[in-house]
């Protein structure tokens, strides 16, 4: 690396780093250098250490309570129980550890998928390499939309300005130049340098890398170091608070059970021990962890479908998204432009003309057509001088058209060297260049008709400029082209003796004509729009394009119908902001589906407007100007291929293959994950509730205890964890994309879910207490047999409980639980483990199990099944609504 690159002449920097401005580093030197200098990454963004992840698992209230229970068990000289609780602690911590570790690993893996690439010159060849492999001395080519990959000294630049707020806090773009600076210039003033992590707002440049990785200016700022640490997602926070609440409830119940032991004639010590065991058992250990792992699994699954989620919480927010704002060009349309029609003052050119030799010849003799071709070639962003290979489709279409018409664009570019360029500016909606024509200069301009026409005093007619008599005729012509769904651009020029100053650059232009480009809608878009519509998600097209073009495309893709097309279109220029609005305007904005002629910053304001009106907004954007809106939206979405690096950097979701429809899978995943977690929670709580109430009820009505402390621990640790995990693996219910999006403030369990949880829990309790009374009073069995029958009834009723979870409106036999193979596997495993407790002598003794006969087994099954039946009756008669 080199320290004071800003104070040295470029040649010195090149010499010091053994590089060449034209040919770059030699490949072998670059390879050697990466070995000595290390990769171009910020190593301080180290993930949490394995040890720390493990320790964190032990620092939770759940573990504290388990520890307390273990100590109590010791004090009561129940060594076996204390060991069992220790076992619970170890297993809980281990499961938590493995899951969090996996989650961190998957996030890292996903982050690798979105690694950035940089255009470098090495060994005389231009090519893209991973930004990680950059070394000092590399020559890089950067342009608007790129994130600067390392610190570098500028060699050449065209109108370069950068957003350096991440480094300086200053939000205004900083203009760059090449001049050498004094050694003690502050970083913020080093105009001849670009810095790692800053964003190129405009222009392009060639630069030599002077520092990489930790040696860059941003690498020195330590606050960024903790970036990859896993932050708690809102879902995890919700689950954590639910857990805390449940712990409290459990403790109260456990104390009550313990107390009731003292008051009743039961063995008080046994009751206290049972209370402890219940507390241990009923605490939902797996709850917070399961959220992390289900979210992480969701992310991995989506990445296989080419949807990369960068932040864990995004998966959840996707399930809540109720508005999707999208741009038009490239997302809804192909972004493959073709010139369709050109209108001059007194002629019209159809694309077929140039294919006809006769017509073509005539055209090439027309001075107006020749002037048009000149602007099309010279004022063109795809001109190799400006682009690093990422050209605008409009510009490519113009090159293609010129070629088809038989012109040699490279010759023209050589003949009229460029002296100045105003790159396409989405705020001005135009682009301009000044080209030398021997001793004079031509200003070439193209852009949106309204942007160009306002500067035009005359129009080219038969090769001569004439005053425009009626501008409205031109506006009408542009509108007509737009109404056919064409993208419309106007072309103008002027000749001057000197290079015009910036403030008069666009003054007194001569209009040449307007052009309509075809950009067909993507063929999968109409289907996608319908899917989002059915899912209760409102899609809004936000575009810088003409209202006519936007409306027509919106109709073609089914976003609006022909009748409502005017009603549902909003013109960006009609609104100065989206804040001080009257109720009618609010209504219009809420209903509108097409926003045309929108300025980049209006996208951000619109996102805020929707958020204010209960919108959870997913925003699709590609450009550097979209970055603030992407950041502000609840879910920022960028395209993997077309998106600029700046957009991809701030986005939460990246659609790797640029398909709008891919978002559907992400939304589906977001919705089903929440549903799965909900099932999981209802299942665990209702099972735990059944255990606590059964024991409490038995002690109150003075019948043999249905569960002994070690049985409770065994049951919770081993038996019911598998179905719970299997519930987390569900694919989501069939109608999930036809439901309305979930409200973002909706709790994990709504009132109806709580009702269902209590009903399921009480049904199980009823079965357990029923079997206890039946075996005790009617069959007059021994206490231990009564207990065994209750224990097995509880096991079976809890397993049957999984079938209670699918929504009431779905079939009992065919639903996502019965169709989930993991559920069936988990039932087999759970029954297997319960049988092990019976067949392995040591476990059998520990769990106080004795032999049961067939009749008793049948009674167990009947009671267990009855619990399912009771819950189902409640569900089918509508008393349980979920
Ligand atoms: P979006 O991509 O957001 O759907 P858009 O691509 O139509 O919308 P912009 O790229 O901001 O929006 O373009 C706005 C207008 O600027 C276009 O309607 C067109 O008239 C003009 N324009 C677009 N590209 C160029 C270009 N390369 N040169 C000159 N003018 C252009």
């Amino acid at each position: 690396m080199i320290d004071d690159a800003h104070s040295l002449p470029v040649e010195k920097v090149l010499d010091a780093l053994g590089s060449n401005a034209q040919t770059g580093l030699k490949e072998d030197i670059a390879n050697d250098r990466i070995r000595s200098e290390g990769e171009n990454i910020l190593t301080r963004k180290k993930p949490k250490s394995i040890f720390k992840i493990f320790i964190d698992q032990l620092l939770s209230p759940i573990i504290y309570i388990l520890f307390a229970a273990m100590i109590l068990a010791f004090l009561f000289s129940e060594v076996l129980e204390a060991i069992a609780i220790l076992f619970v602690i170890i297993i809980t911590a281990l499961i938590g550890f493995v899951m969090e570790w996996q989650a961190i690993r998957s996030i890292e893996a996903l982050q690798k998928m979105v690694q950035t690439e940089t255009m470098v010159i090495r060994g005389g060849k231009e090519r893209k390499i991973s930004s990680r492999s950059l070394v000092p001395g590399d020559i890089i080519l950067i342009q608007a939309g790129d994130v600067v990959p390392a610190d570098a000294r500028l060699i050449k630049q065209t109108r370069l300005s950068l957003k350096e707020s991440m480094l300086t806090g200053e939000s205004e773009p900083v203009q760059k130049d090449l001049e050498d600076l004094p050694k003690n210039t502050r970083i913020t003033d080093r105009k001849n340098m670009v810095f790692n992590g800053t964003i190129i707002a405009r222009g392009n440049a060639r630069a030599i890398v002077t520092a990489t990785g930790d040696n860059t200016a941003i690498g020195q700022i330590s606050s960024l170091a903790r970036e990859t640490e896993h932050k708690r997602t809102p879902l995890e926070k919700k689950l954590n608070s639910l857990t805390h609440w449940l712990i409290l409830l459990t403790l109260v119940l456990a104390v009550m059970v313990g107390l009731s032991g003292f008051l009743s004639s039961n063995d008080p010590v046994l009751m206290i021990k049972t209370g402890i065991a219940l507390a241990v058992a009923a605490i939902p250990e797996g709850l917070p962890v399961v959220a992390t792992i289900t979210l992480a699994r969701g992310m991995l699954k989506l990445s296989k479908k080419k949807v990369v989620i960068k932040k864990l919480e995004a998966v959840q927010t996707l399930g809540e998204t109720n508005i999707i704002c999208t741009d038009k060009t490239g997302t809804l349309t192909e972004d493959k432009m073709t010139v369709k029609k050109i209108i001059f003052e007194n002629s019209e050119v159809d694309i077929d003309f140039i294919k006809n030799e006769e017509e073509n010849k005539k055209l090439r003799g027309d001075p107006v057509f020749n002037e048009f071709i000149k602007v099309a070639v010279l004022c063109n962003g795809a001109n190799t001088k400006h682009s690093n290979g990422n050209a605008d489709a409009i510009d490519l279409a113009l090159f293609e058209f010129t070629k088809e018409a038989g012109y040699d664009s490279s010759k023209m570019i050589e003949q009229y060297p460029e002296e100045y360029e105003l790159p396409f500016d989405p705020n001005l909606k135009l682009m301009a260049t000044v080209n030398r024509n021997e001793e004079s200069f031509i200003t070439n301009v193209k852009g949106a008709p309204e942007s160009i026409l306002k500067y035009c005093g005359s129009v080219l007619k038969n090769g001569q400029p004439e005053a425009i008599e009626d501008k409205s005729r031109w506006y009408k012509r542009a509108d007509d082209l737009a109404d056919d769904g064409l993208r419309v651009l106007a072309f103008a020029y002027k000749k001057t003796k000197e290079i015009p100053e910036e403030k008069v650059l666009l003054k007194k232009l001569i209009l040449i004509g307007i052009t309509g480009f075809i950009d067909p809608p993507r063929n999968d878009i109409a289907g996608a729009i319908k899917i989002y519509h059915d899912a209760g998600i409102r899609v809004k097209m936000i575009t810088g394009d003409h209202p006519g073009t936007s409306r027509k495309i919106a109709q073609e893709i089914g976003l609006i119908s022909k009748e409502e097309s005017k009603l549902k279109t909003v013109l960006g220029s009609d609104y100065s902001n989206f804040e001080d609005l009257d109720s009618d305007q609010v209504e219009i904005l809420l209903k509108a589906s097409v926003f045309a002629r929108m300025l980049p910053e209006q996208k951000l304001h619109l996102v805020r407007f929707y958020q204010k009106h209960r919108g959870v907004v997913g925003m699709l954007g590609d450009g550097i100007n979209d970055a603030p809106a992407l950041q502000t939206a609840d879910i920022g979405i960028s395209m993997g291929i077309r998106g600029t690096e700046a957009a991809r950097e701030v986005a939460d979701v990246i659609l790797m293959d640029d398909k709008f429809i891919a978002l559907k899978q992400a939304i589906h995943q977001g919705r089903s994950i929440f549903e799965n977690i909900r099932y999981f929670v209802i299942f665990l709580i209702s099972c735990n509730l059944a255990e606590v109430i059964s024991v409490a009820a038995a002690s109150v009505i003075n019948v043999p205890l249905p569960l002994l402390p070690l049985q409770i621990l065994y049951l919770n640790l081993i038996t019911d964890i598998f179905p719970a995990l299997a519930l987390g693996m569900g694919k989501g219910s069939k109608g999930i994309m036809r439901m309305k999006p979930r409200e973002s403030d909706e709790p994990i369990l709504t009132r109806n879910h709580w009702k269902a949880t209590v009903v399921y829990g009480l049904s199980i309790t009823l079965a357990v207490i029923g079997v206890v009374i039946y075996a005790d009073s009617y069959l007059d069995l021994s206490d231990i047999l009564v207990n065994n029958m209750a224990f097995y009834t509880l096991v079976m009723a809890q397993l049957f409980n999984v079938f209670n979870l699918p929504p009431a409106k779905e079939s009992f036999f065919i639903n996502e639980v019965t169709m989930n193979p993991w559920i069936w596997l988990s039932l087999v495993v759970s029954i297997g483990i319960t049988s092990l407790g019976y067949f392995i002598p040591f476990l059998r003794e520990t769990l106080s199990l004795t032999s049961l006969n067939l009749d008793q087994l049948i009674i167990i099954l009947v009671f267990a099944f009855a619990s399912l039946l009771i819950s189902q009756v409640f569900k089918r008669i509508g008393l349980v609504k979920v």
Side-chain angles (χ1 to χ4, degrees):
M1 71 168 275
I2 185 162
D3 249 348
D4 298 320
H6 63 280
S7 62
L8 301 173
V10 171
E11 296 69 35
K12 278 241 163 89
V13 179
L14 285 162
D15 274 353
L17 293 168
S19 190
N20 178 298
Q22 303 310 319
T23 58
L25 283 177
K26 290 212 177 78
E27 200 66 55
D28 49 341
I29 295 184
N31 289 339
D32 281 348
R33 212 164 272 181
I34 202 146
R35 256 170 259 137
S36 59
E37 295 274 336
E39 289 196 306
N40 178 31
I41 42 170
L42 300 176
T43 52
R44 261 178 298 164
K45 279 188 188 174
K46 261 197 204 128
K48 216 158 131 180
S49 75
I50 290 192
F51 179 69
K52 174 95 169 54
I53 300 176
F54 186 75
I55 292 296
D56 275 0
Q57 308 306 318
L58 298 177
L59 303 178
S60 86
I62 293 177
I63 301 283
Y64 302 153
I65 297 204
L66 290 175
F67 262 116
M70 186 179 78
I71 291 167
L72 274 180
F74 257 121
L75 294 181
F76 280 107
S77 320
E78 287 294 340
V79 181
L80 211 54
E81 228 177 284
I83 293 174
I85 299 176
L86 184 63
F87 197 54
V88 175
I89 295 177
I90 293 173
I91 297 254
T92 306
L94 271 182
I95 293 180
F97 167 75
V98 172
M99 295 202 167
E100 182 161 347
W101 186 59
Q102 268 193 356
I104 291 180
R105 288 272 308 269
S106 9
I107 295 173
E108 278 171 9
L110 291 174
Q111 275 166 351
K112 283 206 181 112
M113 283 182 74
V114 289
Q115 257 169 29
T116 55
E117 294 192 315
T118 307
M119 193 70 127
V120 292
I121 302 180
R122 274 196 189 166
K125 289 200 188 86
E126 267 183 37
R127 63 193 179 90
K128 266 194 177 155
I129 63 166
S130 155
S131 305
R132 278 173 96 102
S133 327
L134 281 180
V135 289
D138 262 326
I139 303 294
I140 52 172
L141 302 175
I142 43 180
Q143 64 172 359
D146 288 350
V147 176
V148 178
D151 288 1
R153 167 78 151 96
L154 293 170
I155 299 173
K156 235 167 103 179
Q157 61 97 17
T158 315
R159 297 175 60 79
L160 189 71
S161 65
L162 280 103
K163 288 194 179 175
E164 296 188 336
S165 54
M166 46 299 285
L167 203 60
T168 61
E170 185 56 59
S171 60
E172 279 302 299
V174 184
Q175 298 268 2
K176 295 285 176 175
D177 56 40
L178 301 179
E179 252 162 63
D180 303 347
L181 295 162
K183 207 165 178 174
N184 58 358
T185 312
R186 287 183 319 161
I187 280 216
T188 39
D189 298 328
R190 292 184 192 169
K191 297 267 171 68
N192 56 12
M193 297 278 300
V194 287
F195 298 100
N196 188 9
T198 58
I199 293 173
I200 306 185
R202 202 164 72 168
N204 53 63
R206 175 184 291 238
I208 173 164
V209 173
T210 54
T212 55
D214 284 345
N215 295 327
T216 59
I218 209 148
Q220 313 283 327
I221 304 175
S222 57
S223 64
L224 282 169
R226 264 162 269 118
E227 209 171 293
T228 50
E229 225 173 73
H230 170 56
K231 288 199 206 93
R232 294 268 161 245
T233 64
L235 185 61
E236 287 172 288
K237 283 188 197 143
K238 272 185 191 173
L239 280 172
N240 267 340
S241 73
L242 181 69
T243 310
H244 289 170
W245 196 83
L246 286 174
I247 290 176
L248 197 72
L249 189 73
T250 309
L251 287 181
V252 171
L253 285 173
V255 168
M256 274 165 60
V257 169
L259 275 181
S260 72
F262 272 120
L263 305 176
S264 73
S265 57
N266 264 327
D267 176 356
V269 177
L270 176 66
M271 288 313 292
I272 291 173
K273 283 190 317 200
T274 310
I276 296 171
L278 275 179
V280 174
I283 286 172
E285 295 93 13
L287 223 53
V289 149
V290 84
T292 319
I293 193 66
T294 8
L295 290 174
R297 264 191 81 234
M299 283 170 82
L300 276 184
K301 259 168 108 178
L302 284 172
S303 74
K304 293 199 184 104
K305 294 177 181 162
K306 299 253 181 266
V307 179
V308 172
I309 311 274
K310 283 171 44 191
K311 285 187 213 132
L312 215 50
E313 58 259 49
V315 183
Q316 180 201 352
T317 318
L318 276 163
E320 293 159 8
T321 306
N322 53 22
I323 290 181
I324 298 176
C325 296
T326 164
D327 50 359
K328 171 177 71 65
T329 314
T331 308
L332 305 179
T333 65
E334 297 270 5
D335 200 19
K336 290 197 186 100
M337 308 269 173
T338 329
V339 175
K340 177 85 175 111
K341 202 175 209 177
I342 313 169
I343 300 179
F344 299 122
E345 175 62 30
N346 47 13
S347 64
E348 270 189 22
V349 178
D350 207 276
I351 185 66
D352 299 329
F353 284 20
I354 61 162
K355 292 185 182 142
N356 177 319
E357 223 168 277
E358 239 356 56
E359 295 282 358
N360 193 331
K361 222 166 158 193
K362 226 162 68 195
L363 273 177
R364 290 169 58 104
D366 179 351
V368 183
F369 187 70
N370 278 310
E371 212 58 64
F372 164 76
I373 292 287
K374 230 188 270 170
V375 180
V377 171
L378 299 176
C379 179
N380 191 312
N383 196 326
T384 47
K385 202 167 164 201
H386 311 285
S387 103
N388 287 351
N390 304 331
D392 192 309
I394 284 264
D395 292 324
L396 290 175
L398 286 170
F399 264 151
E400 187 59 36
F401 177 80
T402 321
K403 203 167 122 202
E404 277 197 49
Y407 290 82
D408 182 348
S409 46
S410 356
K411 225 166 152 188
M412 216 180 281
I413 292 165
E414 248 171 58
Q415 192 184 345
Y416 303 99
E418 185 183 292
E419 297 292 337
Y420 174 84
E421 183 207 358
L422 173 66
F424 172 65
D425 181 332
N427 282 302
L428 298 175
K429 294 190 174 35
L430 56 78
M431 155 174 193
T433 60
V434 178
N435 300 71
R436 180 184 288 274
N437 179 16
E438 290 166 0
E439 292 309 303
S440 62
F441 298 90
I442 322 172
T443 303
N444 298 296
V445 192
K446 73 177 199 300
E450 332 66 291
S451 308
I452 302 288
L453 277 166
K454 66 176 177 213
Y455 296 115
C456 294
S458 49
V459 59
L460 202 58
K461 195 172 173 184
N462 306 325
Q464 291 305 320
E466 274 183 24
I468 301 187
E469 282 157 21
D470 185 7
K471 263 195 196 170
S472 62
R473 238 182 66 223
W474 280 101
Y475 284 114
K476 168 90 175 50
R477 285 170 167 170
D479 289 348
D480 288 347
L481 286 181
D483 286 344
D484 287 340
L486 300 180
R487 192 168 161 88
V488 194
L489 247 65
F491 291 73
Y493 81 113
K494 72 176 171 191
K495 290 185 174 157
T496 47
K497 288 255 166 299
E498 305 289 331
I499 298 181
E501 274 182 39
E502 219 165 302
K503 56 179 192 288
V504 293
L505 179 74
L506 299 171
K507 293 271 154 68
K508 296 197 179 151
L509 293 177
I510 304 162
L511 179 70
I512 302 172
I514 55 172
T515 311
F517 298 77
I518 260 197
D519 177 20
R522 288 190 179 202
N523 54 17
D524 57 354
I525 289 298
I529 299 278
K530 178 156 179 0
I531 290 172
Y532 297 130
H533 183 262
D534 290 347
I537 300 170
R538 289 170 286 158
V539 177
K540 315 269 180 191
M541 176 202 280
I542 305 180
T543 169
D545 214 343
H546 189 286
T549 320
S550 324
R551 246 191 323 251
K552 177 77 179 172
I553 300 278
Q555 276 171 33
E556 281 176 24
I557 59 174
L559 189 58
I560 50 175
S561 67
K562 201 164 179 188
E563 297 71 49
E564 59 188 10
S565 72
K566 281 251 155 64
L567 210 71
K568 290 211 159 182
T569 313
V570 161
L571 211 59
S573 45
D574 289 348
Y575 290 82
S576 57
N577 62 51
F578 294 116
E579 270 169 17
D580 312 317
L581 305 169
D582 59 36
S583 58
D584 286 348
Q585 288 173 313
V586 168
E587 198 63 11
I588 289 173
L589 291 184
L590 288 177
K591 283 205 178 127
S593 303
V594 178
F595 293 79
R597 287 293 186 233
M598 291 282 279
L599 299 176
E601 70 261 24
Q602 283 183 308
K603 289 192 182 181
L604 171 67
H605 299 154
L606 199 63
V607 168
R608 290 212 182 108
F609 168 82
Y610 283 128
Q611 283 175 331
K612 215 169 103 189
H613 293 87
R614 296 194 66 78
V616 177
V617 185
M619 169 92 208
L620 272 110
D622 296 324
I624 171 172
N625 290 308
D626 296 334
L630 290 177
Q631 228 159 5
T632 306
D634 300 273
I635 288 280
I637 307 153
S638 173
M639 300 295 192
I641 306 169
R642 235 163 24 85
T644 54
E645 247 169 51
R648 273 181 282 156
E649 180 114 336
V650 297
D652 306 298
V653 177
I654 299 179
L655 307 178
M656 295 303 270
D657 55 5
D658 280 18
K659 293 221 169 88
F660 185 48
I661 187 85
L663 193 58
K664 176 201 111 184
Q665 288 155 345
I667 291 174
H668 187 288
Q669 190 75 250
R671 289 182 175 197
S672 54
I673 280 175
F674 195 85
E675 190 179 62
N676 289 342
I677 288 175
R678 194 168 250 172
Y679 286 166
F680 178 95
V681 172
I682 296 178
F683 178 77
L684 268 190
I685 300 183
S686 53
C687 286
N688 291 351
L689 199 70
E691 290 162 23
V692 178
I693 302 181
S694 300
V695 172
S699 75
V700 170
I701 58 174
N702 218 353
V703 288
L705 272 187
L707 286 170
L708 296 171
L710 285 171
Q711 289 171 346
I712 298 174
L713 292 175
Y714 191 72
L715 192 70
N716 271 271
L717 193 62
I718 301 176
T719 321
D720 62 4
I721 193 85
F722 294 100
L725 283 177
L727 285 169
M729 316 267 256
K731 287 207 169 81
S733 51
K734 225 168 54 216
I736 205 160
M737 287 305 277
R738 282 191 297 278
M739 291 175 193
K740 276 205 332 213
R742 199 177 56 241
E743 296 281 334
S744 55
D745 51 5
E746 191 174 308
I748 292 180
L749 298 188
T750 62
R751 185 186 277 267
N752 278 334
H753 291 113
W754 274 114
K755 223 156 108 189
T757 309
V758 171
V759 167
Y760 305 155
L762 287 181
S763 305
I764 302 174
T765 310
L766 223 58
V768 173
I769 294 297
V771 92
V772 167
I773 294 175
Y774 184 74
D776 184 44
S777 311
Y778 187 75
L779 299 178
D780 206 13
L781 298 178
S782 67
D783 278 7
I784 195 68
L785 268 176
V786 173
N787 160 275
N788 277 206
M789 286 178 73
F791 171 67
Y792 286 121
T793 306
L794 186 67
V795 171
M796 291 313 293
Q798 288 195 347
L799 296 184
F800 285 148
N801 192 21
V802 289
F803 299 110
N804 283 325
L805 297 166
K809 55 181 183 300
E810 278 189 24
S811 144
F812 175 76
F813 296 102
I814 299 174
N815 53 55
E816 80 267 30
V817 168
T818 56
M819 304 303 278
N820 177 353
W822 293 104
I823 290 283
W824 295 103
L825 183 69
S826 73
L827 295 186
V828 171
V829 171
S830 294
I831 293 175
I833 290 178
T834 315
S835 316
L836 279 186
Y838 181 80
F839 290 115
I840 297 176
F842 163 73
L843 278 177
R844 189 174 165 149
E845 206 171 302
T846 316
L847 297 172
S848 317
L849 298 176
T850 61
S851 317
L852 296 177
N853 63 31
L854 188 65
D855 284 353
Q856 289 158 346
L857 287 176
I858 292 174
I859 295 170
I860 288 169
L861 278 180
V862 169
F863 272 91
F865 190 72
S867 75
L868 175 64
L869 211 64
I870 298 171
S871 296
Q872 283 300 314
V873 168
F874 270 88
K875 216 164 170 152
R876 305 290 151 183
I877 61 174
L879 284 174
V880 168
K881 291 202 179 62
V882 288

